Amino acid sequence: MTTLPEIRTHSSYSQLAVGSHDAVVAVYTGADILTQQQTPYTDWEAAAAPFRQIDKEFGKSVVLVPAPSVGGGRLVLSPIDSVEDDTDDVRKVFDAVKSGVARAIEAGARRPAVYLAPLPASVNAVPDADYSRWIEVALLAALEASYVTLVVREHRTATLGADAVVENLHSIDLVVESHSDEELRSAVKRATAIEGGRRLALDMGYGDPERMTPYKCAETIQAAAASVPGLEFEVIKDLDMIKQDYPLLYHSARASFAEKRTWPCVVKLEYRSPVPAQVKEHLFLVGKGVTYDTGGISLKIGGSMRGMSRDKLGACGVAGFAVATGLMQETAVDLSCVLAFERNSIGPNSLLPDEIVYSRAGVRVLINDTDAEGRLVMTDPVAECRERILAARVAGSKIPAAIYTVATLTGHVIRAYGWYGATVANGPARRGKYDQRLAVSGLAYGDPFENSIMRREDHAFVRGRTDREDVYQSNSLPSTLTDRGHQYPAAFIIKASGLDKHSVGAGASAAIPFVHVDIAGSAEDGSEPGLGLCGITGSPVAT
């Protein structure tokens, strides 16, 4: 990971030295906000006045104006059109800051000051919005504008050497009126921790199928984890061990055994609170890390294989979340993460539809579609997490525990919700509002999630109908052509991992909360540049 730009905070614009910055990016609501400010803001209005006189659209979009009174003579005005309407949320702040900083970078700035005008008090009444972390969101937007992907950093370094630009910004001066220095320092600490984790997710996510093979993903995570206090790394590469402990991953990956560089591996990350007495919960996170998905023998056709190097973003997001948690030195949580990496290849040794394979939990799985590999690679790690939770309870642990799976799992979730992620939770998780907690956190950090509900039809759909199998892995249709196509995979994971024995009906002492998080929509920004691939968001690192 790269070193972040230096960040300095100021609770008043008067604290900002002209020589410290080479541009000012002013983010504000309402076109008349500048005219309401006192000196030195009057200089800004003087700079903007000629443009306001000749352009009736002035104040509705990002504009760069010359302003001798600010560092570098560059004043970037980045207005927010509204923050108080029915569907407004904190992403309005993110978009305005990112656009403004990006414009400053285009103009040649490397040390911008970002001035955040106060939000109106009425934002607190907006339904389905939360502006409580708006400063962190603003800073994350500026850092995203500064970020240069790993593959570009490597290319520039190889071609330009010491002259390579591997970070767009050298420093950021953050100016927020009416906030204490302590509040701003706290916001910077949280935002930079999230950004550290998000950059790990992005570095891996943008890597092409050869730059980020399963083993290279593991190496990238290991390098990042080495500098994070309290975060321990382990990788399992031995195929016999994978076959024994993660048989569904093993069988899904069989076609990749022809080349060792594409062999599967399992990465484990363990984070422990620096203050064990303050731990309130132990979260078990499982990530899907399919570094390329051909569909296997159920081959993707019609151009649908394009973009499948992004099928690892669930594991990337979990790794980033673990790093962010460690950088924050969170005291209230312990983490155990299992990341299943594979390339879903095609070849003579491919997993085949009609095969019946046994899961780690001893459940017989009838394979119907090898392109539904994500649920396969995550199921045995979920079973392992289940075993660990039960063992901890037997040993006397009273710390609440829950299991999450995170994956770019289905196209159906995009058909249902567009470019948003969705949760599907079992009964104990619904009762404990684990899925709603994710949605609430997502609103605060500009990564909204939808909460889908698991229904009886989801379990009925995958239930085995003969004495030859216990559960169906999938049907043979794309999820986009299947009713409840993003909900029923969670029912499969529950059955095949043995979690069906830990529902609400099992009683409070046996219940285990489980939340499946489908980020196929939220992991990318939905904007394709020409014939290129979409941008990657880093979801759900911040939540």
Side-chain angles (χ1 to χ4, degrees):
M1 295 186 295
T2 56
T3 301
L4 299 183
E6 180 185 1
I7 300 171
R8 299 178 290 266
T9 61
H10 312 273
S11 57
S12 171
Y13 185 79
S14 62
Q15 298 175 354
L16 189 65
V18 173
S20 70
H21 59 284
D22 57 7
V24 167
V25 178
V27 179
Y28 54 94
T29 57
D32 61 344
I33 190 67
L34 297 181
T35 64
Q36 300 172 9
Q37 306 300 320
Q38 302 298 317
T39 305
Y41 307 103
T42 51
D43 293 338
W44 295 3
E45 173 57 22
F51 297 87
R52 195 188 302 279
Q53 292 172 0
I54 64 171
D55 185 358
K56 67 182 181 63
E57 292 296 302
F58 183 86
K60 295 182 180 180
S61 60
V62 178
V63 62
L64 170 67
V65 299
S69 65
V70 305
R74 304 179 182 98
L75 174 61
V76 178
L77 302 177
S78 189
I80 305 173
D81 58 354
S82 72
V83 289
E84 304 165 276
D85 211 347
D86 288 1
T87 58
D88 287 341
D89 59 47
V90 75
R91 288 175 295 172
K92 286 288 192 75
V93 175
F94 184 95
D95 294 343
V97 173
K98 184 179 177 181
S99 297
V101 173
R103 183 65 186 92
I105 292 171
E106 290 174 351
R110 294 295 177 263
R111 298 177 290 110
V114 178
Y115 171 79
L116 302 179
L119 296 179
S122 54
V123 298
N124 296 320
V126 178
D128 301 314
D130 182 352
Y131 290 88
S132 61
R133 298 290 185 183
W134 75 287
I135 297 174
E136 288 93 328
V137 170
L139 188 51
L140 287 168
L143 289 169
E144 181 166 311
S146 178
Y147 170 72
V148 177
T149 65
L150 173 63
V151 289
V152 172
R153 298 197 306 268
E154 291 175 337
H155 167 72
R156 289 177 178 175
T157 300
T159 55
L160 300 174
D163 295 329
V165 175
V166 296
E167 184 75 28
N168 287 327
L169 298 179
H170 301 315
S171 65
I172 299 171
D173 280 284
L174 182 66
V175 184
V176 190
E177 302 277 4
S178 304
H179 283 73
S180 69
D181 291 337
E182 180 58 33
E183 288 176 318
L184 295 181
R185 283 193 295 267
S186 177
V188 170
K189 179 181 178 182
R190 182 166 291 276
T192 53
I194 292 171
E195 182 66 9
R198 190 170 67 172
R199 288 191 174 199
L200 171 61
L202 298 180
D203 280 354
M204 289 194 294
Y206 279 113
D208 66 50
E210 289 300 309
R211 177 61 186 87
M212 285 295 166
T213 62
Y215 283 11
K216 289 180 179 178
C217 284
E219 292 168 2
T220 303
I221 296 170
Q222 183 177 19
S227 60
V228 179
L231 188 61
E232 296 183 358
F233 169 91
E234 178 188 356
V235 61
I236 300 171
K237 297 180 178 179
D238 183 81
L239 291 182
D240 290 334
M241 187 176 296
I242 292 175
K243 184 177 183 179
Q244 174 182 311
D245 293 339
Y246 311 99
L248 297 182
L249 168 62
Y250 175 89
H251 287 292
S252 178
R254 282 184 341 216
S256 70
F257 297 171
E259 293 283 344
K260 189 171 183 178
R261 63 187 174 80
T262 63
W263 282 11
C265 65
V266 175
V267 170
K268 295 185 177 182
L269 294 169
E270 297 283 341
Y271 171 76
R272 293 297 175 264
S273 165
V275 188
Q278 295 183 11
V279 173
K280 297 180 179 179
E281 60 184 347
H282 190 154
L283 301 183
F284 290 79
L285 310 179
V286 175
K288 171 189 173 184
V290 178
T291 60
Y292 201 80
D293 183 14
T294 68
I297 209 73
S298 303
L299 189 67
K300 291 180 182 291
I301 60 173
S304 59
M305 203 182 299
R306 179 179 180 272
M308 285 299 105
S309 61
R310 304 288 178 79
D311 216 12
K312 59 184 179 291
L313 293 181
C316 297
V318 171
F321 182 84
V323 166
T325 302
L327 291 174
M328 268 298 296
Q329 286 293 279
E330 289 283 358
T331 60
V333 67
D334 286 339
L335 297 180
S336 295
C337 308
V338 187
L339 315 177
F341 288 102
E342 72 150 357
R343 179 182 290 188
N344 188 18
S345 299
I346 185 171
N349 197 30
S350 291
L351 177 68
L352 302 173
D354 300 350
E355 281 193 55
I356 293 178
V357 293
Y358 283 80
S359 73
R360 178 184 177 118
V363 178
R364 297 171 300 166
V365 177
L366 174 62
I367 304 299
N368 284 328
D369 185 355
T370 64
D371 194 19
E373 82 296 331
R375 66 204 69 177
L376 293 179
V377 306
M378 293 191 297
T379 292
D380 290 329
V382 169
E384 178 184 21
C385 295
R386 164 183 169 261
E387 295 165 9
R388 291 185 58 185
I389 291 172
L390 295 178
R393 290 178 179 177
V394 169
S397 175
K398 302 298 183 183
I399 298 175
I403 303 173
Y404 290 78
T405 51
V406 184
T408 50
L409 203 71
T410 67
H412 185 277
V413 78
I414 301 176
R415 295 289 294 170
Y417 296 127
W419 298 102
Y420 292 86
T423 63
V424 186
N426 71 351
R430 289 286 294 168
R431 183 173 59 187
K433 299 184 178 180
Y434 284 84
D435 53 343
Q436 294 179 45
R437 286 167 52 187
L438 187 65
V440 168
S441 180
L443 283 178
Y445 284 99
D447 188 10
F449 275 81
E450 307 289 353
N451 292 142
S452 291
I453 309 298
M454 195 181 307
R455 304 293 184 186
R456 61 184 181 179
E457 288 84 359
D458 301 317
H459 290 276
F461 189 68
V462 298
R463 187 176 63 246
R465 299 297 198 276
T466 79
D467 59 1
R468 296 183 296 276
E469 73 280 323
D470 300 312
V471 66
Y472 302 129
Q473 165 239 15
S474 176
N475 61 358
S476 57
L477 294 174
S479 69
T480 52
L481 300 179
T482 302
D483 292 344
R484 304 187 63 80
H486 77 270
Q487 290 100 327
Y488 87 83
F492 165 80
I493 294 172
I494 289 171
K495 175 64 177 178
S497 68
L499 271 179
D500 57 328
K501 301 177 180 64
H502 304 279
S503 65
V504 168
S509 62
I512 297 177
F514 167 71
V515 182
H516 169 58
V517 185
D518 193 336
I519 61 168
S522 61
E524 295 182 300
D525 62 14
S527 177
E528 294 186 349
L531 298 180
L533 300 178
C534 295
I536 298 174
T537 64
S539 175
V541 172
T543 57

